[in-house]
């Protein structure tokens, strides 16, 4: 008979069931990995081995790791945008496609890079440097202090520098908020970023190519685009939850979590297709709606 799993106490400081894994749990952690899925819908925690290493690591080594990760991720984010700048400038990629591919990949790659940072309490602030620098860059070029036509063409809809101060700037500000408020041990932040980057991004890419049949209440959105939003947002959310679960930052019981992810993706899709783009940008409405619904569904317990 399999040994009973230890119950996790709920934590008032987390949006979900959570706790850090203590030293006695080191012997239990491998068993939890072998016997997935667990009984918890989504629970947050710190990887046992990484946490033990972090506890004994000197401050200098931690700062060096976080500083190096910041430089690496910043260079990667900059290189990604410059690569699509060049592709757009040479007309190898359409401007509309370039904009949304950057939209998708920026969020996914940034989120996937979070494990590069240490388990120190200040690690999230080092990670936050990346979207902060990008926001400064967008403000600099959007306000006209400097000119970068390649950047404008690769990340804006109509090729106007003023657009940098809207959708692209909102996007990096949301990245900044998600890192500081939720970080990598909160499924709410992971799912919100997945829906904003993957869901909204693929909705535009697929909708532009195949979306001839428009929604009856919004002629700027299509049925196929909304379907792509729902499917890609759901799949990317599940993929990223699996990624962080495999690394030990969270624990997921898929028999319960799948249904809730479906509802979250559905809510984000509905918000994305509502004709309020002129009032509230998708890069604001979609992640906010996702955060709210995810919080209501998961709450502070797994029930």
């Amino acid at each position: 008979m399999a040994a009973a799993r230890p119950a996790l106490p709920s934590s008032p400081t987390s949006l979900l069931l959570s706790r850090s894994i203590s030293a006695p749990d080191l012997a239990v952690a491998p068993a939890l990995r072998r016997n997935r899925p667990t009984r918890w819908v989504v629970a947050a925690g710190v990887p046992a081995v990484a946490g033990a290493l972090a506890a004994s690591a000197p401050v200098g080594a931690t700062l060096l790791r976080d500083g190096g990760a910041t430089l690496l991720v910043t260079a990667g984010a900059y290189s990604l945008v410059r690569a699509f700048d060049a592709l757009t400038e040479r007309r190898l990629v359409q401007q509309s496609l370039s904009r949304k591919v950057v939209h998708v990949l920026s969020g996914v790659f940034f989120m996937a890079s979070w494990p590069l940072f240490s388990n120190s309490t200040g690690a999230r602030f080092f990670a936050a440097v990346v979207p902060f620098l990008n926001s400064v860059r967008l403000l600099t070029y959007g306000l006209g202090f400097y000119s970068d036509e390649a950047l404008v063409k690769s990340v804006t809809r109509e090729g106007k520098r003023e657009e940098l101060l809207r959708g692209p700037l909102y996007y990096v500000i949301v990245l900044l908020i998600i890192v500081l408020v939720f970080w990598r041990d909160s499924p709410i932040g992971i799912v919100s970023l997945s829906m904003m980057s993957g869901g909204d991004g693929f909705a535009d890419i697929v909708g532009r190519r195949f979306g001839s049949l428009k929604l009856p209440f919004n002629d700027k959105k299509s049925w196929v685009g909304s379907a792509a939003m729902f499917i890609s947002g759901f799949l990317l959310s599940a993929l990223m939850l699996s990624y962080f679960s495999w690394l030990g930052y969270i624990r997921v019981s898929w028999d319960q979590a799948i249904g809730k992810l479906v509802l979250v993706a559905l809510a984000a899709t509905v918000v994305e297709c509502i004709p309020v783009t002129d009032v509230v940008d998708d890069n604001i409405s979609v992640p906010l709606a996702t955060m709210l619904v995810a919080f209501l569904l998961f709450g502070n317990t797994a029930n």
Side-chain angles (χ1 to χ4, degrees):
M1 179 181 296
R5 296 183 178 89
L8 290 182
S10 60
S11 171
T13 61
S14 173
L15 296 177
L16 299 159
L17 257 180
S18 65
R19 70 165 182 163
S20 296
I21 297 178
S22 59
D25 294 328
L26 293 177
V28 178
L32 292 178
R33 287 185 177 277
R34 289 194 301 269
N35 292 288
R36 288 178 179 168
T38 69
R39 298 299 300 170
W40 307 291
V41 176
V42 185
V46 179
V49 176
L53 292 176
S56 61
V59 175
T62 299
L63 293 176
L64 183 62
R65 172 178 173 176
D66 288 336
T70 300
L71 291 175
L72 179 62
V73 177
T74 300
Y78 180 81
S79 299
L80 174 67
V81 175
R82 296 310 301 181
F84 279 91
D85 289 350
L87 292 173
T88 305
E89 194 171 20
R90 297 176 183 178
R91 298 184 179 180
L92 297 176
V93 176
Q94 294 180 349
Q95 181 176 334
S96 59
L97 179 60
S98 171
R99 179 176 65 90
K100 281 303 179 179
V101 172
V102 170
H103 179 102
V104 173
L105 295 182
S106 294
V108 173
F109 285 165
F110 179 56
M111 186 165 36
S113 74
W114 291 349
L116 295 176
F117 296 86
S118 74
N119 291 311
S120 68
T121 55
R124 69 177 68 200
F125 298 102
F126 279 90
V129 169
V130 180
F132 174 76
L133 291 178
N134 279 326
S135 66
V136 171
R137 183 186 180 203
L138 292 171
L139 283 169
T140 300
Y141 291 115
L143 293 172
F145 294 119
Y146 295 97
S147 177
D148 190 339
E149 292 300 321
L151 172 66
V152 172
K153 290 180 179 179
S154 66
V155 301
T156 62
R157 188 183 300 272
E158 299 177 1
K160 300 177 181 178
R161 66 172 176 80
E162 294 83 2
E163 291 182 81
L164 295 175
L165 303 177
R166 296 194 288 273
L169 182 59
Y170 302 152
Y171 184 91
V172 295
I173 289 176
V174 170
L175 291 184
L176 182 62
I177 293 172
I178 287 177
V179 168
L180 294 177
V181 176
F182 298 107
W183 195 213
R184 62 195 172 197
D185 56 358
S186 170
I188 294 178
I190 295 169
V191 172
S192 299
L193 181 49
S194 297
M195 291 303 306
M196 181 183 72
S197 58
D200 185 44
F202 279 107
D204 188 89
I205 293 172
V206 176
R208 284 179 180 274
R209 186 173 181 84
F210 305 105
S212 56
L213 184 59
K214 303 298 182 181
L215 296 174
F217 53 88
N218 188 351
D219 60 4
K220 294 182 180 179
K221 306 290 183 179
S222 64
W223 286 104
V224 69
S226 294
M229 166 83 179
F230 175 82
I231 295 171
S232 59
F234 170 81
L235 291 178
L236 182 58
S237 296
L239 176 64
M240 296 312 299
L241 285 178
S242 297
Y243 173 67
F244 285 100
S245 174
W246 177 72
L247 291 173
Y249 292 103
I250 59 176
R251 295 173 185 156
V252 181
S253 178
W254 291 108
D255 57 340
Q256 299 179 58
I258 288 292
K260 295 188 176 184
L261 278 181
V262 168
L263 293 177
V264 171
L266 180 61
T269 301
V270 170
V271 169
E272 193 270 344
C273 68
I274 293 175
V276 293
T277 306
D278 295 334
V279 179
V280 182
D281 191 272
D282 289 345
N283 290 328
I284 297 177
S285 60
V286 169
L288 286 181
T290 306
M291 291 175 198
L292 175 61
V293 175
F295 174 75
L296 293 176
L297 288 174
F298 293 111
N300 289 317
T301 69
N303 299 322

